[in-house]
Amino acid sequence: MLKKIDPTKTNAWASLHELAGEQAQTIKELFKADRSRAKQFSVEWDGLFFDYSKHRIDEEIMDALMDLAKECEVNDGIERMFKGEAINETEDRAVLHVALRNRSNRKTLVGGVDLMPEVNEVLDQMARFSTSVREGDRLGATGKRFKHVVNIGIGGSDLGPVMAVEALKAFQCNMRFHFVSNVDEAHLVETLKQIKAEETLFIIASKTFTTQETMTNAQSAREWFLQQIEDEEAIAKHFVAVSTNEAAVTAFGIDPGNMFRFWDWVGGRYSLWSAIGLPIMLAIGDQAFFKLLEGAHAVDEHVKVKGSQSIPSIMALLGIWYNNFFEAESHAVLPYSQYLSRFPAYLQQADMESNGKSMTRAGVPVRYSTGPIVWGEPGTNGQHAFYQLLHQGTKLIPVDFIAYIKPVHGNGDHHQKLLANFLAQSQALMQGKSVKEAEKELRNEGLKEEEVVKILPFKVFEGNNPSSSILFDEWGAYQLGQLIALYEHKIFIQGLIWNIYSFDQWGVELGKQLAAPILDEMTAKRNGSASSVRFDGSTTELLSRIQRKLK
Ligand code: F6P
């Protein structure tokens, strides 16, 4: 069980409050005062460079943040997770996505049973399957090779694979990958327009195999498929499932032999390392998929050894510094890579479904802010959209910039420009532009005195906006594994300090519960039955308008 420590009762919390209040020097001034700052506040590790020198921190603040981690017993929490304790207490489950990428193959015990043989067995099954599809040994019902893979899933059964397939597109085979998640028919219809049934492999991905969106899309895809290929037996060749629920998979009509298992100790949003990653393996091949696992495993080992001193812990503590001592509400993640365009969306689920909690582990409401709003878009696109607010808006938004040094493609010119922008933005956010600097610029442009006076206030950038830079030497599956695992551990460590449960998601249940009677009501009305449920006034009005217009 995780300890239940109120972070606000720690000595470090009080010190951090004082330090935040006392802070007089800007980041720019801190750089001026200390030439070794960039070295002091950066970590070089396993082909990546984590620079956190452009933060509102000094040695004393970092010490206090480390004390907070110590007083909240972060290392104890990490150890309990790796040991397979049921730290997801409200669901009475262990949290062992780390076992899925345990490339050391060291024993990982739950209830005295080693999980690794089962984990390896499924990985082998995935590898055999993906190789046979990629090499054309496994064909469709009419003897054609698969050209399309359609993954039907939502949340953790979608966002991880979508993000990773996109992130590693440069290393992909020539099959096309499609992801259908939304229950809005448009998502499925527009996908089906692009494919031919006889060349398509459908993966129905759902941990529970009960999720409304996934089951609806899967059923419709099945019907569409049978309209194209009028042979029930062809289903076995074209539909596979990834799930923990064998009974439901069988009831849906998928042979258990075409099912890839995973386990209840894998949270949906932490599942891309499991069979949920099957589309990733199909896209990049088993060997590259294993590299992805290796990258994540390297981070796991780093966290095990370094604990609260690890890179994810530093990321977590910096987040807490702004979230709890400067009232920052959000956190921007800005990858300077088009391949990482879906990374912020992926992180939204990973972070916000994990730490969007307001109850402590002791079951009483928290009295402090927990998980931030996570958002972002790739650079440089974002620069021409929302960066204005980062530079001159009224909100404090800590930023993570992400990039890799070696270009994936040959044209160095594009990449140099991309990296120049990556560097310039964190610099601009930190240093801003003073009145003096802005005035000098305007005068150099030859503006008249009254024009200088008029325009000057708008040209000033306050600066002092904090950011981290995560810079990889190169880009590939290994690095993606590292990147994801860095954030996974960051999220966990923040949850440990905030004294919340990061691995349940009860907050998504209410909406699902309430949709059921509304749907029943709609169906009843369509069948001409009388209304049976009373809704609030607004819902009743909206519902009756929908029903009137649908008639
Ligand atoms: O609605 C939230 C959620 O439970 C996520 O946590 C999960 O990733 C998603 O739904 C999909 O669930 P499943 O894989 O069981 O279909």
Side-chain angles (χ1 to χ4, degrees), residues 100 103 115-130 241-243 259-263 265 273-278 281 289-290 293:
L100 300 166
R103 303 308 286 165
L115 303 176
M116 292 319 295
E118 275 187 273
V119 167
N120 292 330
E121 193 185 300
V122 176
L123 282 173
D124 286 348
Q125 183 198 6
M126 289 165 66
R128 279 194 306 276
F129 178 80
S130 88
V242 180
S243 188
M259 173 178 158
F260 298 83
R261 288 190 311 135
F262 65 116
W263 306 271
W265 41 265
W273 321 101
S274 72
I276 288 290
L278 187 60
M281 194 189 268
F289 187 79
F290 296 143
L293 302 186

Side-chain angles (χ1 to χ4, degrees), residues 153-158 205-215 242 262 267-269 271 276 349 353 505 508-509 512:
I154 196 164
S157 302
D158 169 70
S206 174
K207 181 175 169 182
T208 54
F209 231 72
T210 56
T211 304
Q212 184 194 55
E213 294 89 334
T214 303
M215 290 303 104
V242 180
F262 65 116
R269 54 194 174 274
S271 65
I276 288 290
Q349 188 201 15
E353 199 167 83
Q505 58 284 313
V508 298
E509 293 306 320
K512 290 187 197 171

Side-chain angles (χ1 to χ4, degrees), residues 148-150 178 191-197 199-200 202 224:
H148 299 272
V149 175
V150 178
H178 311 264
T191 304
L192 297 180
K193 275 185 197 168
Q194 303 170 48
I195 62 176
K196 281 194 185 139
E199 296 171 344
T200 302
F202 289 93
W224 172 86

Side-chain angles (χ1 to χ4, degrees), residues 93-113:
R93 287 174 186 167
V95 175
L96 279 170
H97 45 278
V98 291
L100 300 166
R101 59 214 193 193
N102 171 16
R103 303 308 286 165
S104 73
N105 213 17
R106 265 195 307 266
K107 277 189 179 167
T108 305
L109 302 174
V110 167
V113 179

Side-chain angles (χ1 to χ4, degrees), residues 43-56:
V43 186
E44 190 180 354
W45 172 80
D46 198 22
L48 71 83
F49 188 70
F50 175 59
D51 174 16
Y52 61 104
S53 60
K54 292 193 191 93
H55 277 282
R56 298 180 183 181

